[in-house]
Amino acid sequence: MSTIQRINFEPVSDVLPIQRRDFPLGDPTLAQPLNALALVDGEWLTLNASYQLVRATDISNAGAQAQVRSFPLWAERGRYDVQAIAGTRMPILWRGEYEFDTRVFDSAAVVFAGAPITTPLQPLKVATIALGGRNYSGLVGASLTDPAPIVGYVTRLPANNGGKLRFISGWRA
């Protein structure tokens, strides 16, 4: 289990080969830091039919898993530059290989055909998780037979990494 803090998503690898893209939010109020449902860095988003960012999972439904390709948000909660951009555009990691430490995960959650996060190189998927009394769209363990999209693989367990989960990008439909 993790806790949400000011910085929840930090690069470990060089960020030069990563293609970051800014997309407008489907609900611009999610960029406002005082919104009880505001997005936090490290949450997972996807694109809707209008080419706008929405959470990858329904956060009102604990345990819901992402059914489509998801991308991590790389902007801290309440950033003024994001709020000032017309259309309230948020940056996601769009393409490229990367390794990040994240606090937006639940290592004990077992969602559908998944498994608790217990071993390095275990696949990861996106699901609705509960942290600190609130739901987020974050990482949970998957199994090799899991039908959900795999978004990465564990490289360092939270017990050996200051409570943060380290993972490398990787995608499988």
Side-chain angles (χ1 to χ4, degrees), residues 1-5 7-12 40-44 72-73 99-106 117 124 129 131 137-140 156-158 161-168:
M1 192 67 104
S2 180
T3 58
I4 298 299
Q5 297 185 7
I7 305 291
N8 301 297
F9 196 65
E10 300 174 277
V12 175
V40 298
D41 56 320
E43 270 199 88
W44 290 75
L73 174 64
E99 185 175 29
F100 268 74
D101 283 337
T102 185
R103 294 182 189 280
V104 187
F105 70 94
D106 186 341
I117 299 171
L124 298 166
I129 59 172
L131 300 174
S137 186
L139 295 175
V140 296
R156 198 159 183 200
L157 295 169
N161 196 33
K164 297 176 278 187
L165 176 68
R166 183 170 292 174
F167 72 99
I168 57 172

Side-chain angles (χ1 to χ4, degrees), residues 57-58 61-67 105-117 122-130 136 138-143 145-150:
T57 61
D58 175 4
N61 183 5
Q65 66 182 7
Q67 300 297 320
F105 70 94
D106 186 341
S107 60
V110 177
V111 177
F112 189 59
I117 299 171
Q122 178 180 354
L124 298 166
K125 65 182 178 178
V126 177
T128 299
I129 59 172
Y136 299 91
L139 295 175
V140 296
S143 66
T145 59
D146 203 316
I150 301 300

